[in-house]
Amino acid sequence: MPGVRARHMARHDLPRVIAIENEIYSFPWSPGNFSDSLEAGYDCWAFDDGSGALVAYAVVMWIPDEVHLLNLSVAAPRQRRGLGRAILEWVSADAARRGARGMLLEVRPSNLPALRLYERSGFERIGVRRRYYPAPDQQREDAWVLFRRFGAQAGQGEQGGHDSPEVGGMR
C-alpha cells in the first residue's frame, strides 16, 4: 500500500471523514461525534494516500493506562486490501510506544470482516454490551468487547509513533 501516511485529523478533514462514514455504515457516527472527539483531545488520525486524499481514519481515546479504539474506518474502494490491518497495527504500536498496556474496543457480532481482523490481530473477547448498537427496525444489537494486551515489542519497530508517519511499511 505505497503512499499511505498518518497525520493528525483536522477540522478541514471532517467533510471527507463524514462522507466515508456515511458511505460505509448503516448507522454512521454523526458530525458531532467527530467534532466532539477532536475537541476532547482524542487521538484522531487521518490517513491519506500521499496526494492528500483521505482514505481512512481512526479515533482513539486514552483511559488511564490503555486506549479505547472508538472508530477505525477505511473508504470503501480501499477495503479488503490490508489497509485496515496496517492502520490497526500502526495505531496499536503508537499507543504502546506512548505507554498504553493494551487496547479495548467494541464491535458488532454481525461485522464478520472486523471480527476476523481483530481476532487475527490478537484481540480476545472479554465481555458483551447488551443492546449497544442501533440496528434496523428500531432494534438494538449487542457489542462484543474485545481487548488486546500489548507485548514488549508492540511499541517498537518501524510501524509506530509520531516520528514515523508511515503506516505498516507504507509511505
Side-chain angles (χ1 to χ4, degrees):
M1 304 252 131
V4 176
R5 296 182 47 93
R7 60 181 173 75
H8 291 282
M9 187 186 296
R11 289 220 173 271
H12 67 81
D13 293 313
L14 292 184
R16 177 67 180 136
V17 166
I18 292 162
I20 292 170
E21 186 81 2
N22 288 330
E23 178 182 359
I24 63 175
Y25 294 116
S26 298
F27 299 94
W29 272 25
S30 71
N33 292 136
F34 289 104
S35 182
D36 290 349
S37 294
L38 284 169
E39 284 186 33
Y42 296 168
D43 287 353
C44 298
W45 296 106
F47 298 88
D48 67 50
D49 68 1
S51 72
L54 193 137
V55 296
Y57 50 89
V59 178
V60 178
M61 177 179 71
W62 280 79
I63 45 185
D65 60 350
E66 57 194 39
V67 292
H68 188 163
L69 181 63
L70 301 174
N71 193 323
L72 188 158
S73 299
V74 176
R78 300 296 296 262
Q79 291 181 358
R80 310 280 195 277
R81 298 181 187 179
L83 183 56
R85 182 176 186 126
I87 289 170
L88 178 62
E89 292 308 314
W90 186 91
V91 168
S92 296
D94 176 70
R97 182 188 62 78
R98 293 166 52 202
R101 69 176 182 92
M103 179 179 284
L104 178 79
L105 61 86
E106 291 89 13
V107 63
R108 291 175 183 268
S110 63
N111 189 343
L112 298 180
L115 282 172
R116 280 193 294 274
L117 167 66
Y118 297 135
E119 288 171 359
R120 289 178 183 157
S121 297
F123 284 83
E124 296 179 359
R125 186 172 153 191
I126 62 168
V128 175
R129 298 193 199 283
R130 299 279 178 220
R131 301 177 43 77
Y132 185 78
Y133 289 113
D137 301 322
Q138 304 295 318
Q139 299 297 308
R140 304 290 296 181
E141 182 176 2
D142 292 347
W144 286 359
V145 181
L146 307 181
F147 186 77
R148 174 183 171 189
R149 185 171 307 284
F150 296 147
Q153 71 277 20
Q156 300 175 12
E158 59 188 359
Q159 292 181 350
H162 299 307
D163 298 334
S164 174
E166 297 180 8
V167 177
M170 298 178 273
R171 196 182 99 44

